[in-house]
């Protein structure tokens, strides 16, 4: 295996639209957003794209998830998406 592996989670796909809808209603227009327990990272790339004036910070305790988050960010780079942290 070369490079980080993007993980996927069916629940993340199912919940993406409802979460984006809630973010459209309640997220501030600008500032910072911390996603706690980002899991696979497949959602935060969409959040960053939908809210370009927010700086997005993914976080997770699992090293495999951190690698997956980085891989998703590499696939869909965004200037407002920060590298994941523990």
């Amino acid at each position: 295996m070369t490079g980080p592996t993007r993980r996927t989670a069916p629940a993340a796909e199912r919940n993406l639209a409802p979460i984006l809808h809630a973010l459209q209603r309640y997220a501030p227009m600008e500032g910072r957003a911390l996603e706690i327990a980002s899991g696979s990272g497949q959602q935060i790339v969409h959040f960053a794209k939908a809210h370009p004036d927010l700086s997005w910070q993914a976080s997770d305790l699992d090293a495999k998830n951190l690698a997956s988050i980085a891989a998703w960010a590499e696939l869909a780079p965004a200037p407002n998406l920060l590298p994941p942290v523990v």
Side-chain angles (χ1 to χ4, degrees):
M1 180 171 74
T2 60
T5 301
R6 283 181 293 122
R7 301 173 97 182
T8 59
E13 284 301 315
R14 281 193 308 272
N15 295 329
L16 181 59
I19 293 170
L20 278 173
H21 179 73
L23 287 172
Q24 295 287 33
R25 292 186 67 191
Y26 300 110
M29 296 300 292
E30 59 185 37
R32 298 179 186 172
L34 171 64
E35 183 183 39
I36 299 170
S38 299
S40 66
Q42 67 195 96
Q43 290 181 334
I44 200 161
V45 295
H46 296 285
F47 301 161
K49 183 178 177 183
H51 295 275
D53 293 326
L54 285 174
S55 292
W56 289 90
Q57 178 70 70
S59 68
D60 208 281
L61 294 176
D62 186 313
K64 289 181 182 177
N65 284 345
L66 293 172
S68 179
I69 295 163
W72 278 101
E74 185 177 317
L75 179 70
N80 60 327
L81 183 55
L82 303 170
V85 296
V86 174

